[in-house]
């Protein structure tokens, strides 16, 4: 188990090295761009390209880091809350609570809060919020 | 701007800035050109390997979590005298060899025999692992262990092809693996979700058919029929309906093939119609919990039960109808979604409609709710 948790949080040293080198190059390019802009015989075209290249490299390094973090973050099993609906056989009063171990559909449950008659577990379900927009559904 | 013009301008600018700059830019350009010409495929392969490796880490994590949940559940429910970990680890490596199909005649009975042995072995193992578990809990533990086994198997298969691809540096091995991975990951995540549901005894999407049957038979007297099934006689629209489902609330699919055959024989084949209700895989774009109707034996699994049902209805020429609740593979093995639960009423309406249209008053019909009845009583 220990091995598994270290595996999922570990970021490859090669990626770290690549990111560091990229950041270093981008910083050099940005400094050169700054130097070019502030110099007396400034070349705006060169400064623009240097600035552009520096920004692109810096962006790439940031993207690589975000992707790596995302992969680490996603390493968990998604779980949704499971709800249990209890219904009174007599008055039809319904109440919902979180699922408890031992619950099952049609199990006799506690007395009704309203009329005191026996209740049953009428439903156990999970609610999922759809992330995608509904297209081509019909 | 055209990249070539950009490169030429950059070359010109660098040439102004650094003496001999145009030469450097040209060198870099050709270097990149030759690297991509000669090593493009290798670079692509390394990118794919990285991607597969990421998924493999996630699969390993899911597999280990599954194993952990299984051991925790056994300790909590079964109260074993000794640590169940070595036995669980051994169990995860169990395999079943399917019968030889060179001569397919009689293969169904051979397959049934092998599956019976497998079931008996599972039951014995669970009894040894969790001596304090009652029948329902033992069924749930069996299902939990099966989900953990499936996760272990998926992880090992993907790891095998990943290592094989790395060892042989074959683009095609890696490429096939990378292409199939999104589907494999979906399945693994579904099993991880199922494992939690089994451990806690929550109803799963596959139990839609069993839930429909349970709703119909609730409040009526039930009796046990082979194997692991229950039947209740319910009056629906003036017809006698034999409602069948696997015995709940433990994780159990029963043997509906045997159950339907028993009821047909008990009634000397005088059954006007059979209606089977099951969860079925939906296509992308179809809504979850959609109810559809058709003909044929709606039952999944290895095929033994479907074969038995088809044999029995053919012998007595009994028409068979199917009502399905659509859901995807993830929904089928994870805790039941509200949409699937809500589809029960729609399915019952559809069953009543079929009964009214296809049978006469006083007829006998069989309604079989197929699926895992975990978390569903009767």
């Amino acid at each position: 188990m220990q091995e598994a948790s270290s595996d999922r949080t570990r970021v490859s040293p090669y990626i770290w090295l690549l990111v560091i080198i990229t950041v270093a190059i981008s910083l050099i390019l940005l400094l050169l761009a700054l130097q070019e802009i502030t110099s007396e015989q400034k070349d705006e075209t060169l400064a623009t390209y240097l600035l552009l290249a520096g920004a692109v490299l810096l962006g790439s390094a940031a993207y690589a880091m975000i992707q790596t973090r995302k992969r680490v973050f996603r390493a968990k099993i998604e779980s949704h809350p499971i709800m249990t609906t209890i219904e009174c056989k007599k008055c039809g009063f319904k109440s919902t609570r979180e699922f408890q171990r031992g619950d099952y559909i049609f199990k006799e449950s506690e007395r009704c809060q309203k009329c005191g008659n026996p209740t049953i577990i009428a439903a156990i379900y999970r609610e999922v919020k759809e992330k995608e927009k509904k297209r081509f559904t019909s | 701007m055209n990249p070539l013009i950009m490169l030429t301008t950059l070359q010109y600018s660098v040439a102004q800035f650094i003496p001999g700059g145009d030469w450097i830019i040209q060198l870099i350009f050709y270097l990149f050109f030759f690297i991509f010409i000669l090593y493009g495929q290798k670079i692509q392969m390394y990118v794919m390997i990285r991607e597969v490796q990421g998924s493999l880490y996630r699969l390993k994590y899911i597999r280990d979590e599954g194993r952990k949940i299984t051991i925790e559940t056994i300790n909590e429910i079964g109260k074993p005298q000794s640590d169940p970990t070595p036995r669980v680890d051994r169990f995860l490596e169990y395999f079943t060899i399917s019968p030889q199909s060179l001569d397919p005649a009689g293969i169904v009975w051979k397959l049934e025999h092998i599956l019976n042995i497998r079931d008996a072995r599972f039951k014995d193992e669970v009894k040894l692992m969790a001596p304090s578990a009652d029948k329902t809990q033992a069924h749930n533990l069996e299902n939990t262990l099966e989900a953990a086994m499936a996760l272990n198997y998926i992880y090992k298969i993907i790891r095998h092809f990943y290592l094989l691809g790395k060892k042989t540096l074959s683009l095609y091995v890696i490429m096939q693996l990378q292409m199939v991975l999104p589907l494999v990951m979906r399945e693994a995540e579904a099993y991880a979700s199922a494992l939690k549901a089994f451990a806690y005894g929550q109803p799963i999407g596959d139990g839609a058919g069993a839930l429909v049957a349970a709703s119909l038979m609730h409040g009526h007297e039930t009796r046990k029929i082979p194997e692991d099934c229950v039947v209740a006689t319910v009056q629906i629209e003036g017809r006698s309906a034999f409602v069948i489902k696997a015995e709940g609330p433990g994780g159990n699919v029963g043997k509906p093939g045997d159950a339907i055959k028993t009821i047909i024989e008990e009634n000397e084949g005088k059954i006007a119609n059979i209606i089977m209700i099951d969860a079925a895989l939906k296509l992308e774009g179809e809504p979850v919990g959609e109810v559809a109707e058709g003909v044929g034996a709606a039952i999944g699994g290895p095929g033994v039960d479907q074969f038995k049902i088809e044999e029995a209805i053919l012998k007595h020429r009994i028409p068979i109808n199917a009502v399905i609740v659509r859901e995807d593979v993830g929904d089928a093995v994870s805790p039941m979604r509200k949409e699937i639960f809500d589809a029960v009423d729609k399915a019952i309406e559809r069953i009543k409609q079929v009964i009214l249209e296809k049978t006469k008053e006083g007829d006998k019909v069989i309604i079989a709710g197929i699926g895992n009845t975990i978390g569903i009583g009767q």
Side-chain angles (χ1 to χ4, degrees):
Chain A
M1 292 310 113
Q2 202 61 38
E3 196 194 334
S5 75
S6 66
D7 272 349
R8 76 174 192 276
T9 47
R10 195 182 70 187
V11 178
S12 164
Y14 294 112
I15 290 190
W16 274 114
L17 193 71
L18 202 73
V19 167
I20 291 166
I21 291 170
T22 316
V23 169
I25 293 171
S26 66
L27 287 177
I28 291 168
L29 289 173
L30 290 173
L31 275 173
L32 283 173
L34 194 72
Q35 199 182 21
E36 186 58 31
I37 290 164
T38 50
S39 72
E40 281 177 16
Q41 300 166 327
K42 64 177 172 187
D43 183 344
E44 277 184 7
T45 322
L46 179 65
T48 311
Y49 284 132
L50 286 172
L51 207 64
L52 203 69
V56 165
L57 283 180
L58 204 62
S60 310
Y63 177 74
M65 277 319 291
I66 289 167
Q67 282 299 101
T68 320
R69 294 290 308 159
K70 212 169 146 186
R71 193 172 293 159
V72 172
F73 175 74
R74 274 172 53 195
K76 63 175 185 189
I77 302 168
E78 237 180 272
S79 63
H80 299 275
I82 313 294
M83 305 312 294
T84 297
T85 303
I86 298 160
E87 194 179 337
C88 177
K89 284 180 189 173
K90 199 134 194 179
C91 69
F93 176 74
K94 279 183 185 176
S95 61
T96 305
R97 58 160 168 80
E98 281 227 8
F99 176 88
Q100 288 165 5
R101 185 171 260 168
D103 283 358
Y104 64 85
I105 298 174
F106 299 128
K107 182 189 179 186
E108 297 232 345
S109 194
E110 61 260 34
R111 296 257 159 197
C112 176
Q113 295 166 20
K114 254 187 168 178
C115 65
N117 275 301
T119 59
I120 56 156
I121 293 176
I124 297 170
Y125 56 84
R126 76 182 158 116
E127 271 186 285
V128 181
K129 282 173 189 159
E130 291 283 351
K131 285 175 201 163
E132 271 179 61
K133 279 183 185 173
K134 286 187 177 176
R135 283 180 195 155
F136 309 116
T137 48
S138 56
Chain B
M1 196 192 268
N2 190 327
L4 205 67
I5 300 170
M6 263 180 78
L7 195 76
T8 320
T9 322
L10 183 65
Q11 192 178 341
Y12 172 72
S13 312
V14 173
Q16 272 191 330
F17 190 67
I18 312 161
D22 56 340
W23 180 82
I24 292 169
I25 289 291
Q26 266 191 30
L27 185 75
I28 291 170
F29 176 79
Y30 284 114
L31 209 64
F32 268 103
F33 185 76
F34 283 111
I35 283 173
F36 279 101
I37 285 285
L38 297 173
Y39 298 102
Q41 207 181 46
K42 278 229 160 109
I43 293 168
Q44 195 186 354
M45 196 168 69
Y46 282 119
V47 170
M48 281 180 186
I49 286 176
R50 287 283 316 162
E51 216 169 292
V52 174
Q53 197 183 39
S55 298
L56 199 59
Y57 276 136
R58 183 157 166 68
L59 275 177
K60 188 173 190 297
Y61 170 72
I62 292 174
R63 194 267 315 245
D64 291 342
E65 276 296 295
R67 178 179 166 274
K68 200 174 92 185
I69 292 170
T70 309
I71 293 166
E72 278 171 6
T73 312
I74 290 170
N75 280 325
E76 200 178 320
I77 291 171
K79 312 242 176 335
Q81 301 287 321
S82 57
D83 182 18
T85 311
R87 198 171 271 278
V88 170
D89 285 339
R90 214 181 66 199
F91 190 85
L92 293 182
E93 301 296 328
Y94 268 16
F95 55 86
T96 307
I97 302 167
S98 55
Q100 179 54 256
S101 59
L102 274 176
D103 179 13
I107 194 169
V108 175
W109 313 116
K110 287 185 206 166
L111 181 62
E112 189 189 21
H113 179 61
I114 297 284
L115 291 174
N116 286 344
I117 297 169
R118 181 179 183 266
D119 282 354
R121 185 83 191 255
F122 271 34
K123 281 191 172 80
D124 291 345
E125 282 289 333
V126 168
K127 223 175 262 175
L128 287 169
M129 276 183 218
S132 301
D134 60 27
K135 196 182 167 191
T136 304
Q137 288 168 335
H139 275 306
N140 293 352
L141 278 178
E142 269 175 52
N143 284 207
T144 311
L145 279 160
E146 279 203 59
M149 266 173 83
L151 286 173
N152 186 46
Y153 185 69
I154 292 172
Y155 168 68
K156 285 176 87 170
I157 290 286
I158 298 299
R159 185 184 62 181
H160 166 75
F161 284 109
Y162 163 75
L163 292 176
L164 194 71
K166 257 183 109 173
K167 202 183 268 181
T168 56
L169 279 181
S170 161
L171 178 70
Y172 299 100
V173 173
I174 293 291
M175 199 188 262
Q176 283 185 64
L177 192 58
Q178 192 240 7
M179 283 194 283
V180 84
L181 256 180
L183 300 176
V184 174
M185 292 308 290
R186 264 183 81 174
E187 202 156 319
E189 273 156 25
Y191 274 116
S193 191
L195 197 132
K196 277 190 173 177
F198 291 141
Y200 289 98
Q202 295 159 344
I204 58 169
D206 182 51
L211 184 57
V212 170
S215 303
L216 287 170
M217 67 166 63
H218 181 62
H220 294 81
E221 203 180 316
T222 58
R223 67 183 163 100
K224 287 184 186 183
I225 47 168
E227 290 273 328
D228 288 335
C229 287
V230 286
V231 63
T233 312
V234 182
Q235 290 299 316
I236 300 173
E237 311 287 350
R239 283 82 165 161
S240 293
F242 298 99
V243 185
I244 299 169
K245 77 179 268 290
E247 192 184 2
N252 175 28
V253 290
K255 287 191 176 170
D258 288 332
I260 290 174
K261 206 175 152 191
T262 306
I263 297 296
I264 291 173
E265 278 164 10
E266 276 178 8
N267 290 278
E268 292 157 346
K270 284 170 190 143
I271 298 289
N273 212 311
I274 297 175
I275 304 163
M276 295 185 76
I277 311 104
D278 196 8
L281 284 189
K282 76 176 187 77
L283 300 172
E284 285 300 320
E286 287 178 332
V288 176
E290 191 182 53
V291 177
E293 191 194 318
V295 291
I299 186 165
V304 175
D305 286 283
Q306 189 176 357
F307 180 85
K308 283 183 181 173
I309 294 165
E310 285 165 354
E311 284 277 296
I313 60 166
L314 183 70
K315 191 177 165 191
H316 300 282
R317 299 275 162 191
I318 304 167
I320 189 163
N321 288 279
V323 173
I324 56 158
V325 179
R326 293 194 204 278
E327 53 197 71
D328 72 28
V329 66
D331 296 328
V333 289
S334 40
M336 190 178 279
R337 278 177 68 161
K338 194 164 189 304
E339 294 89 331
I340 300 169
F341 187 85
D342 293 340
V344 169
D345 289 338
K346 286 182 243 168
I348 291 175
E349 279 309 305
R350 201 61 83 86
I351 292 166
K352 284 181 180 169
Q353 205 181 325
V354 174
I355 289 175
L356 281 171
E357 286 170 5
K358 308 283 174 198
T359 61
K360 299 190 294 291
E361 233 171 278
D363 276 351
K364 288 174 181 173
V365 294
I366 293 176
I367 299 171
I370 310 300
N372 194 323
T373 188
I374 188 163
I376 304 167
Q378 47 265 338

